[in-house]
Amino acid sequence: MSEADVEFPILCETCLGENPYVRMTREAQGSECKICTRAFTVFRWQPGRAMRHKKTEICAPCARLKNVCQTCVLDLEHNLPVQVRDSVLG
């Protein structure tokens, strides 16, 4: 599957929000990945009524490789920053 075919971002529960019916906008090749500097599909949404809009910051392949959220770049399993996770897990 290519990056342009991505239909939903890799997100943690915090970034996704409590509402199961989130409206997202998708912009193909909308921004540059903060890790690999490759263009990727950007998703933008508002997780709750009183919350600010969020958007993806890294591409799906980088998020899958590092097992992190595309928005907050925290580990999906332990909810830790990647550097802390890597140093603790060795």
Side-chain angles (χ1 to χ4, degrees), residues 2 39 49 74:
S2 72
R49 287 182 185 254
L74 293 178

Side-chain angles (χ1 to χ4, degrees), residues 9-16 58 60 62-82 85:
I10 301 168
L11 300 172
C12 62
E13 291 180 22
T14 306
C15 289
L16 189 55
I58 63 172
C62 287
R64 222 176 279 113
L65 182 69
K66 295 179 176 288
N67 193 33
V68 295
C69 173
Q70 279 186 268
T71 300
C72 64
V73 196
L74 293 178
D75 181 67
L76 290 173
E77 192 174 330
H78 304 291
N79 206 24
L80 294 170
V82 179
R85 176 199 66 185

Side-chain angles (χ1 to χ4, degrees), residues 18-54:
E18 296 177 5
N19 186 359
Y21 305 105
V22 176
R23 184 179 4 175
M24 286 195 182
T25 59
R26 183 174 116 182
E27 182 181 356
Q29 307 298 313
S31 185
E32 189 176 272
C33 176
K34 305 283 190 231
I35 295 174
C36 68
T37 67
R38 189 171 57 193
F40 74 102
T41 302
V42 175
F43 292 89
R44 191 165 189 258
W45 70 100
Q46 188 172 9
R49 287 182 185 254
M51 299 177 81
R52 62 179 176 81
H53 281 87
K54 294 192 174 205

